[in-house]
Every structure is written in C-alpha cells, then in structure tokens.
Amino acid sequence: FIYNTTVLPRLQILILADNNISSFLTDIQISEQNDLHSPSLLVNLNVRGNKLSNLLFMKYLPRLKYLYASNNLLERFGWNQYQGHQHLITMDFSGNHFEVFEGFTNLSTLLNLDLSSNRIKSVKQDALEGSSALQRLFLDKNQLTRFPVFGSQTALYELTLSFNQIRQISNDTFERFTHLRTCILSHNNISGVGPFQGEPEISVERLDISYNNIRRLADIFLLAFRNV
C-alpha cells in the first residue's frame, strides 16, 4: 500500500483495518526528492488486522497521534530508527509478536500503550526512558514471570498484567509507581504477597489479584494499601 500525500494532501484519518497489507509506504519514503511532496497531515492511522512486519513508515508521518496496529506481524518497536515527531498519544500493538518490552523511549506525549496478547517474556528497565507521561499500560496475556521494573518513575495511572505467569509481588513491587491507581494482576500464578518492610503507603485504589494461588496475605499488606 502506498499512501500518496500529493493526491490526498488533507487526509487526517486513514482506516485500513482487516485487509491483507504487508507493506505500508508513503510517496515521500520512496522518493529521492522529498521536497516535491506535501508533508503528511495524517493524525489517526488504523492498520489493525494486516500483515505488517515493520514500522518504517512512522518516520514519514510526523503528525501522527493515534496508531492502531493490533494483530499484525510486528516483533519490535525500535523507536530510535523512526525518530521524527513527538505527537504520539495512543499506540495499540496488541496481538503481535513482541518478545521483549523495549525501545519505547523519548515519547514525551504518549499516554496509552497496549502490548497485550504478545509473547513478551522480559522488560528492559529503560523501556520507557523519557516517556514519563505514559498513563495507561496494558500487558495482559503475555509470558511475564516478574512484575515489570522500570529504571525511572512513571506517571502510570493504570497497569494491567492479567493472564501472565507472575509469581510474587513484594515490598519493592510498587516502589516506582507513585501515581498508580489501578493494577490488574488476575489470572497469574501469584502465591505470595509481601512482606512489606516498614510502613509503606501505596497509592493503588483498585487491585485485582483474583484467580491466583494466594493462601495468605502478609499482615502489613493491608496496611500498605490504605487506598484500596
């Protein structure tokens, strides 16, 4: 599929969902004379349910705010290869083939990120470096065995991790999630909660740890989650 910015100079929303597209190109991308083409005004792109394996086109969509690319063949994000704009608000990569959560760096406007139903087994600590505005992160239905740890504090308000293989949450689990209000951990293999050292106060208001293997909650656990 070739998106021609000259033919469609005012296009802001493009929906190509549930087709058989394996390649998305822009006329700017395939031309050596980029200055002869109109800059893309595309704000919202929906390519879910196709066969895309890369995101090279993002470099040529500098005003893109909403990208819906679920159920494709994507294996990684690698933002460093596609630098060019700072407007992204929402990205949906659910139902792809990601195995490592990494590379979502310096996305200062990103608020919502969906990586559910992938194959993610590990999370890099610097995966969200410079993306501190992120509020909602969905990691359900992956293969995580540990609660994700990020190298810097985030503004995460909602974090969902249901249907993984997480086994334990402890005193340092929520240490860097100072703004977290909703945490969904249902359908994991959690057998232990706590202990929480000292008297921590965790900001979570909604905590779902149903359908796990918990037999006993540490006494301090209920004190730590005063807002639940």
Side-chain angles (χ1 to χ4, degrees), residues 6 35 91 131 148 158 189:
T6 303
D35 56 333
M91 292 195 294
S131 302
E158 181 177 358
N189 193 31

Side-chain angles (χ1 to χ4, degrees), residues 31-100:
S31 173
E32 294 182 357
Q33 295 178 310
N34 293 353
D35 56 333
L36 299 180
H37 298 270
S38 303
S40 171
L41 300 180
L42 202 63
V43 172
N44 188 321
L45 176 61
N46 188 332
V47 289
R48 69 175 175 82
N50 282 284
K51 296 182 178 180
L52 295 175
S53 59
N54 69 71
L55 298 165
L56 293 171
F57 59 84
M58 289 184 65
K59 180 179 179 180
Y60 305 94
L61 304 177
R63 300 192 183 186
L64 194 65
K65 292 183 179 180
Y66 306 95
L67 175 62
Y68 302 98
S70 60
N71 299 307
N72 277 276
L73 303 176
L74 301 169
E75 296 182 356
R76 64 191 302 270
F77 181 62
W79 172 250
N80 290 335
Q81 297 181 30
Y82 319 129
Q83 298 252 9
H85 61 78
Q86 286 291 305
H87 300 289
L88 285 165
I89 294 175
T90 295
M91 292 195 294
D92 181 358
F93 295 124
S94 59
N96 277 281
H97 298 166
F98 287 78
E99 293 187 1
V100 180

